[in-house]
Amino acid sequence: MKTRVYVTLKNGVLDPQGKAIHHALEGLGFSGVNDVRAGKLIELDLDPKVSDAEVEDMCRKLLANTVIENFKIERVGAAA
Amino acid sequence: MKSAVIVFPGSNCDRDMAEGLRIVTGKAPTMVWHRETELPEGLDLIAIPGGFSYGDYLRSGAMAAQSPVMRAVKDAAERGVFILGVCNGFQVLTETHLLPGALMRNAGLSFICRDVPLTVENSQSAFTARYGAGEAVAIPVAHHDGNYQADAATLDRLEGEGRVAFRYAAEVNGSARGIAGILNEAGNVLGMMPHPERAVEDAHGRTDGRRLFEGLLEAVSQPA
């Protein structure tokens, strides 16, 4: 089963990479970009027996650093 | 003083650390590969060196923190063995939760490699006993992810408990409250971004890092 984990910086944590991307977009002439936050997408192909709680445990123990990051788990369905 | 340097795939300051320890303490450390599950007997100090363990995959220090040897390092820390994490070693210590907070990408996005002025904030720890409180020193940094961040309550606690060992005397990387190095609650674990092992002999151009190792040497040679 395909599962997506989105790891994003917590609100209020300065995101230098997002800022640099924001500047670059403005440099390209794109207007109306109010803010940019960069994060990570981690795709897991999981055995159906892996529970939601286990995925959450994976996030807390390794995939995200909860000091600075939030995570969101999205169960996508059977792997293609 | 009996010391060990932990070596991960991608460590690149392990030999600097070993050489620094040999020069100051007169005894070469044991190099310990990250797959080891046990550390040599009777260690006084475990150094976690700088570098790019596991290519900084996922987050700096995140993979190294899961290495088999880190379990033994954690146990040693609980027994009161001195642990020094420099640069990537500091990142590994935060990822292992031996120290609070996290080290993020430098605020200016650039890799910074130069001598930086520091203020010794706490001269009471074994690591900093040879420095004066408030003393100005200069030690080189070489990092991309040295921007120390923690929530306000944690920062207040670190400052209130005298656990900020070193602060940048000028803005370097965006670190919260200019924090360059912190201690754990018991005072036997220090993580710092600057490289004291690169400032121990005249050929380095600076020797301000030397006293950190001398302080440890003194601490371990005193009868408990």
Side-chain angles (χ1 to χ4, degrees):
Chain A
M1 175 186 266
K2 193 167 263 183
T3 297
R4 294 193 181 123
V5 174
Y6 297 90
V7 181
T8 51
L9 286 173
K10 285 185 175 172
N11 283 334
V13 173
L14 182 74
D15 176 11
Q17 294 180 90
K19 261 207 164 95
I21 296 166
H22 191 182
H23 286 151
L25 287 172
E26 285 175 340
L28 286 167
F30 292 104
S31 60
V33 181
N34 294 324
D35 193 20
V36 179
R37 306 282 284 171
K40 291 183 194 114
L41 164 62
I42 299 167
E43 279 191 343
L44 307 170
D45 186 353
L46 300 175
D47 201 290
K49 70 173 196 278
V50 178
S51 70
D52 288 359
E54 270 179 289
V55 181
E56 211 173 301
D57 206 28
M58 291 178 198
C59 291
R60 287 187 199 288
K61 284 193 175 143
L62 181 65
L63 302 181
N65 179 344
T66 54
V67 174
I68 46 169
E69 294 169 330
N70 290 322
F71 60 86
K72 195 180 90 190
I73 298 162
E74 189 182 280
R75 297 281 213 171
V76 183
Chain B
M1 181 164 80
K2 200 168 171 194
S3 59
V5 176
I6 309 294
V7 185
F8 299 101
S11 293
N12 67 3
C13 305
D14 44 326
R15 290 172 66 187
D16 293 26
M17 184 61 83
E19 196 52 12
L21 283 166
R22 189 190 62 79
I23 289 168
V24 184
T25 70
K27 202 172 162 200
T30 307
M31 307 304 278
V32 179
W33 183 236
H34 73 115
R35 305 281 300 196
E36 299 292 335
T37 50
E38 279 174 38
L39 293 161
E41 287 279 308
L43 286 178
D44 299 304
L45 168 71
I46 300 165
I48 307 178
F52 300 87
S53 55
Y54 298 88
D56 280 350
Y57 287 175
L58 195 61
R59 294 176 306 275
S60 302
M63 311 308 284
Q66 310 302 324
S67 272
V69 76
M70 286 312 294
R71 198 177 296 263
V73 171
K74 263 187 169 171
D75 290 345
E78 275 164 31
R79 290 197 312 271
V81 175
F82 290 115
I83 316 278
L84 169 66
V86 168
C87 201
N88 188 222
F90 186 9
Q91 295 158 348
V92 173
L93 289 177
T94 59
E95 284 285 347
T96 317
H97 305 301
L98 280 171
L99 291 172
L103 291 139
M104 300 184 58
R105 183 52 43 101
N106 291 342
L109 292 175
S110 301
F111 189 95
I112 301 168
C113 184
R114 60 179 164 86
D115 288 343
V116 297
L118 299 171
T119 308
V120 180
E121 291 289 325
N122 173 346
S123 62
Q124 305 294 311
S125 78
F127 299 92
T128 53
R130 287 288 192 102
Y131 299 92
E135 187 181 339
V137 295
I139 295 179
V141 295
H143 62 244
H144 211 168
D145 295 330
N147 179 354
Y148 182 78
Q149 297 296 329
D151 59 49
T154 303
L155 294 169
D156 288 344
R157 201 174 69 239
L158 287 172
E159 289 183 330
E161 293 173 359
R163 287 166 56 191
V164 178
F166 298 99
R167 236 188 264 270
Y168 300 109
E171 170 55 31
V172 172
N173 53 24
S175 287
R177 305 191 194 174
I179 288 173
I182 55 167
L183 294 155
N184 69 338
E185 214 170 335
N188 66 313
V189 179
L190 171 70
M192 62 191 290
M193 289 313 294
H195 286 265
E197 78 282 8
R198 292 189 188 171
V200 297
E201 59 180 351
D202 291 335
H204 286 152
R206 298 191 175 277
T207 57
D208 282 348
R210 198 179 169 95
R211 280 179 287 161
L212 188 144
F213 299 103
E214 287 172 348
L216 286 172
L217 193 57
E218 201 172 270
V220 302
S221 54
Q222 276 167 359

